[in-house]
Amino acid sequence: MLEQLKERYRQYDEEATLVRKKASPADGLFGFGNDPKNHPCHELFYEDIGKWTKAFLETRPDAADALTAARFLIEAPKTCGSRESYWMMYAAQGWCRELVNRLDADGCAELRTLFDELYPKRDRMPVQQELYKALKKGTGRIGNSVPSIFGKLHEKKPVR
């Protein structure tokens, strides 16, 4: 499945580059014309990565496979993205949060280290800050996490 993910990223980068090449220099200027930034390919890519993530999780991946997929999503903007596709690949990192519950403690720590190397804290966008927090909280339990004592304290009780 990881090869499918890589292919989707490659195709999106090609399409985003082609959209930019076909645009006239004035497109999007002052809100007029067909701004390449608003092309449907960007939203379709984001949704496609969400569908891929859901399908991947339905295969019940082990921690190693989840780590490989999460690593790819984190590295992709730097390794696969061009100027035209970088920001949407960056946004698609939000889907990585879905994989965190499948990671073990070592995987979370490895990804935090990678994240610190690639994206200094001062440069992180909100989606990356949320992902980093999820990795930091990564309890290292595969599958659904076991509720903590704090989770029990904040659990909503049925009203009688």
Side-chain angles (χ1 to χ4, degrees):
M1 271 193 91
L2 190 58
E3 290 306 315
Q4 292 173 348
L5 180 64
K6 289 178 181 180
E7 181 60 19
R8 289 173 183 182
Y9 270 75
R10 188 194 62 73
Q11 287 175 351
Y12 168 63
D13 185 54
E14 283 180 7
E15 187 173 5
T17 300
L18 185 60
V19 165
R20 173 60 75 184
K21 284 181 182 178
K22 287 183 176 181
S24 74
D27 276 345
L29 194 61
F30 304 114
F32 296 105
N34 296 318
D35 189 347
K37 293 180 211 160
N38 296 330
H39 192 275
C41 72
H42 305 298
E43 186 66 30
L44 290 172
F45 167 75
Y46 183 82
E47 291 171 2
D48 191 37
I49 300 308
K51 289 175 187 173
W52 180 90
T53 303
K54 183 178 179 188
F56 179 70
L57 288 171
E58 286 174 357
T59 68
R60 305 190 60 70
D62 62 16
D65 290 340
L67 177 63
T68 302
R71 175 181 279 284
F72 178 81
L73 289 171
I74 290 170
E75 291 177 328
K78 301 280 188 177
T79 60
C80 303
S82 63
R83 189 177 73 129
E84 288 76 23
S85 63
Y86 178 83
W87 291 107
M88 193 52 70
M89 288 182 182
Y90 196 116
Q93 287 178 341
W95 293 111
C96 193
R97 288 184 313 237
E98 303 292 323
L99 302 172
V100 171
N101 284 339
R102 303 298 306 171
L103 299 176
D104 58 22
D106 291 338
C108 287
E110 182 180 328
L111 290 180
R112 281 195 316 270
T113 300
L114 174 66
F115 217 84
D116 286 333
E117 290 171 10
L118 295 176
Y119 308 102
K121 188 174 183 176
R122 69 183 178 278
D123 297 337
R124 292 181 194 155
M125 300 295 280
V127 70
Q128 288 180 316
Q129 291 169 353
E130 289 176 28
L131 174 56
Y132 193 82
K133 284 178 189 175
L135 289 169
K136 202 169 182 178
K137 286 182 184 177
T139 57
R141 289 184 211 92
I142 295 177
N144 295 330
S145 60
V146 175
S148 69
I149 184 72
F150 298 107
K152 290 277 188 200
L153 292 173
H154 292 79
E155 205 173 77
K156 290 190 178 184
K157 306 285 186 221
V159 179
R160 295 182 187 183

